[in-house]
Amino acid sequence: MVSARSVQRKEGAALAGQLSSDAAQVALYRAGGRLPSSPATWAQLADTPELRGFGQAIRAGAPVPARPEMDAVWDPWQAALGAIQTQPRRSVREILGAAVQAISATLGR
């Protein structure tokens, strides 16, 4: 990110352009393990076992809500954990089911 008020805006934009180039991303990965953000760079490093494994983990993973939606997940989850601790006669399955319903309803799923 380059500040619009920066006195060295051109230089900052040039640096950002250089650091986001495929060559720089490959160099940063090889020097310190920084994961590249460019699909073209990932393709250049396709023979790297660590990146291949990371890519497999990404494809096998499940997406999580964006930060603005996280309260829709954490609030019902926190309430469920509190209910499990304070309402021992209530079914854990029922408590968690209610949390899942609340989360699903809020996220529109």
Side-chain angles (χ1 to χ4, degrees):
M1 184 171 92
V2 178
S3 173
R5 297 186 186 122
S6 173
V7 294
Q8 295 179 325
R9 196 168 45 210
K10 287 182 185 178
E11 293 84 354
L15 177 61
Q18 287 179 331
L19 290 176
S20 61
S21 72
D22 288 346
Q25 288 189 34
V26 168
L28 289 169
Y29 172 75
R30 292 206 167 120
R34 291 252 178 213
L35 295 176
S37 59
S38 162
T41 305
W42 278 80
Q44 289 180 36
L45 297 167
D47 61 337
T48 309
E50 296 85 5
L51 285 183
R52 200 169 43 246
F54 195 82
Q56 290 170 347
I58 290 172
R59 286 187 295 281
V64 296
R67 174 59 190 114
E69 293 182 319
M70 288 308 293
D71 288 340
V73 174
W74 293 118
D75 289 348
W77 183 245
Q78 182 178 13
L81 292 176
I84 290 168
Q85 294 171 359
T86 60
Q87 302 170 25
R89 293 187 182 172
R90 219 171 133 202
S91 161
V92 171
R93 187 179 302 267
E94 173 194 335
I95 293 169
L96 293 178
V100 169
Q101 286 179 345
I103 292 166
S104 298
T106 303
L107 297 179
R109 295 186 184 133

